[in-house]
Amino acid sequence: MVRIHVMGASGSGTTSLGLALADRLDIAHLDTDDFFWLPTDPPFTMPRDADQRIQLLLEETGRPGGWVLSGSALKWGGPLEPLYDLIVFLRIEPELRMMRIRARETARYGDRIGPGGDMEVKSGQFLEWAASYDTAGPERRSLAAHEQWLATQMAPVLRLDSSLEIDELAAQVLLHPAIAAGAVRRRP
C-alpha cells in the first residue's frame, strides 16, 4: 500500500499531480478541499465541522489499497500524519502560480467572478489570499507554516519544482525510494 501526501500553495499543481499519481499507481485520489468544504454554490464558502471532516477522511484512507492525498490538511489533519509514506512538497514561482490560479478560476467560473458576478467578491478575496502565500506568517496556510510543519514530519519529504510537466513530476515521485520499493505501476 502506498500513501502519498502532495502539498503546496494553491495553484502549485497539487491536485493535478495527485490525480496523475493516483492514475499511474491505480490507487484512490483524495483532495483536502472535498473534506474541508461543504458542497455549496458558490463553492468554498462553508467549512465542514473539523471532527466530521477528519472522520470522513479517515474513512476514505482506511479503505483497502493506497491513496494520494492532495492539498493541505495543515491544521486539522494530524491523525493522518503517521500514515504518510512520502510527502511531496510542490513549489513554483509566485507569478506563474498566480497566472495558473487566474486561468483556473476563469475556466471554472467564467462571468461569475467578473464584475457584478455573484462570486466577484469571494474570488477577489481568494486571489488576495493566494497571492500572500510566500510572504504570510505561519498563522495561516503559507510557505512559513508549511516549512514549520514539514520540519516536524517523520515521512520523507520530496521537494519538487512544479513548473515542470506533470509527467516529469510524477516520474520523480515514482522513482523515490519510499514509493518505488512498494509501488506496482499500472503503466509507465
Side-chain angles (χ1 to χ4, degrees):
M1 178 171 3
V2 175
R3 299 163 303 191
I4 304 169
H5 180 35
V6 181
M7 59 174 290
S10 182
S12 64
T14 62
T15 301
S16 297
L17 180 56
L19 286 165
L21 290 169
D23 181 57
R24 285 168 177 78
L25 293 166
D26 196 22
I27 58 178
H29 173 255
L30 309 170
D31 193 279
T32 58
D33 280 343
D34 295 333
F35 299 91
F36 188 88
W37 298 104
L38 288 168
T40 57
D41 186 21
F44 311 118
T45 56
M46 186 175 296
R48 212 179 235 114
D49 171 75
D51 290 336
Q52 184 185 26
R53 82 177 75 121
I54 198 63
Q55 178 184 343
L56 290 170
L57 193 49
L58 287 172
E59 286 172 12
E60 289 298 316
T61 58
R63 297 179 193 272
W67 44 264
V68 178
L69 175 66
S70 58
S72 182
L74 197 62
K75 302 205 186 270
W76 58 274
L80 291 175
E81 293 172 11
L83 304 178
Y84 302 143
D85 295 315
L86 178 66
I87 299 168
V88 179
F89 182 44
L90 298 180
R91 290 290 314 277
I92 190 168
E93 290 298 319
E95 297 80 19
L96 180 53
R97 185 172 60 77
M98 291 307 297
M99 281 180 23
R100 285 180 174 181
I101 290 174
R102 285 186 192 93
R104 179 183 73 195
E105 292 292 291
T106 300
R108 281 184 181 170
Y109 308 116
D111 292 340
R112 293 183 75 182
I113 63 172
D118 67 316
M119 293 177 60
E120 176 186 11
V121 171
K122 188 73 173 166
S123 178
Q125 292 168 341
F126 168 69
L127 290 172
E128 185 178 314
W129 171 83
S132 69
Y133 173 84
D134 291 277
T135 57
E139 69 283 351
R140 52 160 291 224
R141 183 176 170 189
S142 64
L143 176 58
H146 279 161
E147 289 291 359
Q148 278 185 354
W149 181 82
L150 287 166
T152 69
Q153 297 306 297
M154 298 303 294
V157 176
L158 175 60
R159 294 168 181 269
L160 296 175
D161 175 356
S162 64
S163 65
L164 301 173
E165 295 295 323
I166 288 292
D167 287 340
E168 187 172 343
L169 293 169
Q172 289 185 41
V173 173
L174 296 173
L175 289 173
H176 190 280
I179 303 306
V184 177
R185 290 178 197 80
R186 189 170 74 171
R187 57 184 148 97

